[in-house]
Amino acid sequence: MTAGKKNPETTTMGGMSLPIPRLYNTETRNIEPIEEQDIGLYVCGVTPYDTSHLGHAFTYTVFDVLIRYLRFLGRNVVYVQNVTDIDDDVLLRAAKVGVDWQALGDREYGSFRDAMTAIGNLDPDVAPRATEHIPEMLEIIGKLVEKGAAYVNEGSVYFEVGNDPDFGRLFKEPYEAMLEIANERGNFPADPLKRDPLDFVLWQAQKPGEPAWESPWGLGRPGWHIECSAMAIKYLGETVTLHGGGSDLIFPHHDAEIAQSEGASNQQFAKHWMHTSMVFCGEHKMSKSLGNMVFAGDLLERYSADALRLYMLSHRYREPWGHPTGAPVPTEDLADAMIRGFGDFGEAENEEILEHGMPFLEAMADDLDTPRAIAELERLAESDDDTARLVGATLGRHVLGLRYMP
């Protein structure tokens, strides 16, 4: 199944027109077409210090489906999902439980990958670890210092937000709101080495007992934000087609990535920003720090991977939703219906897909409307027409990642 660009509204497959994918861009606040044939996708990965929860599973399943859909249309997608294996959270948890920080990260990242595989998510094409890309980080930091966008103080290096009039363009809120959110998400406003409470660390001088690497400013380790800039640029170039993650990363993380990347390269960092909404448990979003988590692995002990995928994808990716502790996964019957409807079918031809699958493909093109796409699959599964069911089986398998297994 191949696709090529025809005009701004359509793409072609098998000689017939399909709607071009359109996604909401967090930066512009508009739904915009994704027209590139070659797509570099960077999605911020996990910080592996604890078991990943359903909110993580939702985000990575949404991006998994996006990748499957784009590849189904014939787009060439390179998917990079990093591992933040050196960070305050990793070091604090390792010290608390009395294990080596690297062993903790390896263990938790292995558990995360096992969970993603069990759900049916594809492996990223590249899964870079922050600790393996220190030279790339030092190169970017050095450029920022040379340009006066960052400053050195007692072996630490900070990005000076006051010198960047465009800082916070994703978040689009005033300074006071930026500072409040940053403080909630790991910023240390009282750091005496900062010129401004909102300045963020690019390189932090070694503290007693912490791992450290050589740098022009002395022994230390990278800040969180610079890690993703370095890895994205390393594998996808100075301008990334599509950058994504959970909406809690919009500020400060993604705004910091923009500021430091563009400050070093003078190039647009990402053409399109895509963010998934939060999954709540009770009154608050699922969070390792709050401990209000439901784990995908626990749900998979009771429900099939298809049931869990259909449950997550029954929610629009930009709309928050909740799953209380102990609540059932309500899509088990739907998964069973798709096994009955699609389980014995192979692959449809392009002409058959275009005849019976247009409503599904239109839903996917409409800002990844997976609930509507699932409704179309359900309709096809109940059809008396074997060709329609063949098409449904093909679309569900290749685009939504369903396996039709109990």
Side-chain angles (χ1 to χ4, degrees), residues 105-383:
D106 289 344
R107 183 187 74 199
E108 295 301 336
Y109 183 65
S111 296
F112 166 75
R113 286 262 40 101
D114 289 345
M116 294 303 100
T117 299
I119 292 169
N121 290 345
L122 301 169
D123 290 340
D125 296 304
V126 188
R129 291 177 177 244
T131 54
E132 298 170 353
H133 295 80
I134 302 296
E136 291 85 354
M137 299 174 204
L138 295 177
E139 181 180 358
I140 296 173
I141 297 170
K143 290 180 180 179
L144 293 169
V145 172
E146 183 180 345
K147 292 182 175 185
Y151 57 92
V152 183
N153 198 343
E154 297 186 15
S156 291
V157 186
Y158 298 88
F159 186 91
E160 189 165 13
V161 300
N163 285 344
D164 182 358
D166 204 27
F167 182 72
R169 73 174 189 245
L170 286 185
F171 190 45
K172 292 180 170 56
E173 295 291 343
Y175 178 91
E176 293 76 13
M178 287 194 286
L179 185 59
E180 180 180 359
I181 293 296
N183 293 347
E184 292 175 1
R185 296 175 178 171
N187 181 51
F188 298 101
D191 184 345
L193 302 182
K194 289 184 177 185
R195 295 176 181 173
D196 184 296
L198 196 55
D199 290 350
F200 58 88
V201 65
L202 299 168
W203 185 262
Q204 52 193 46
Q206 184 182 26
K207 297 177 182 178
E210 288 191 349
W213 289 261
E214 295 279 357
S215 85
W217 315 284
L219 287 171
R221 60 183 174 89
W224 171 33
H225 310 308
I226 196 65
E227 297 177 352
C228 281
S229 285
M231 289 182 279
I233 292 170
K234 165 79 172 180
Y235 295 101
L236 299 175
E238 291 181 334
T239 299
V240 177
T241 314
L242 182 59
H243 195 314
S247 59
D248 56 340
L249 298 180
I250 293 173
F251 193 85
H253 186 52
H254 286 164
D255 266 318
E257 280 189 64
I258 291 172
Q260 64 201 9
S261 301
E262 296 185 358
S265 72
N266 295 320
Q267 302 293 320
Q268 181 184 17
F269 178 50
K271 295 180 180 179
H272 198 108
W273 288 90
M274 177 179 173
H275 293 93
T276 59
S277 191
M278 296 294 96
V279 179
F280 285 74
C281 182
E283 296 182 358
H284 303 283
K285 75 176 183 71
M286 288 190 193
S287 168
K288 294 177 181 179
S289 60
L290 294 176
N292 60 331
M293 296 181 288
V294 175
F295 301 110
D298 292 341
L299 294 175
L300 287 172
E301 292 180 359
R302 300 171 55 196
Y303 304 99
S304 70
D306 278 4
L308 184 55
R309 286 184 79 84
L310 289 167
Y311 177 46
M312 291 187 287
L313 297 171
S314 67
H315 301 90
R316 289 301 299 268
Y317 78 89
R318 290 196 287 124
E319 297 175 2
W321 55 283
H323 185 88
T325 303
V329 168
T331 47
E332 191 171 23
D333 289 344
L334 177 59
D336 290 342
M338 291 193 179
I339 292 173
R340 294 192 299 271
F342 299 146
D344 295 331
F345 286 97
E347 298 293 320
E349 298 295 329
N350 286 344
E351 294 77 10
E352 296 167 328
I353 291 170
L354 293 165
E355 179 182 357
H356 295 279
M358 282 298 290
F360 176 95
L361 294 169
E362 288 169 351
M364 293 299 297
D366 184 13
D367 195 25
L368 216 66
D369 189 348
T370 52
R372 181 152 59 99
I374 289 171
E376 289 301 324
L377 274 195
E378 189 173 12
R379 179 182 63 82
L380 293 171
E382 296 171 351
S383 175

Side-chain angles (χ1 to χ4, degrees), residues 70-89:
L70 292 172
R71 287 175 175 167
F72 181 81
L73 295 179
R75 306 295 182 88
N76 303 314
V77 182
V78 177
Y79 177 28
V80 180
Q81 183 194 116
N82 73 292
V83 187
T84 303
D85 61 343
I86 182 66
D87 184 77
D88 290 341
D89 289 328

Side-chain angles (χ1 to χ4, degrees), residues 55-75:
H56 296 129
F58 175 62
T59 288
Y60 298 117
T61 300
V62 166
F63 282 102
D64 180 75
V65 168
L66 174 64
I67 292 161
R68 290 174 182 272
Y69 168 55
L70 292 172
R71 287 175 175 167
F72 181 81
L73 295 179
R75 306 295 182 88

Side-chain angles (χ1 to χ4, degrees), residues 11 20-21 34-37 39 70-71 73-77:
T11 185
I20 200 166
I34 305 297
E35 300 185 71
E36 293 84 354
Q37 177 66 23
I39 296 172
L70 292 172
R71 287 175 175 167
L73 295 179
R75 306 295 182 88
N76 303 314
V77 182

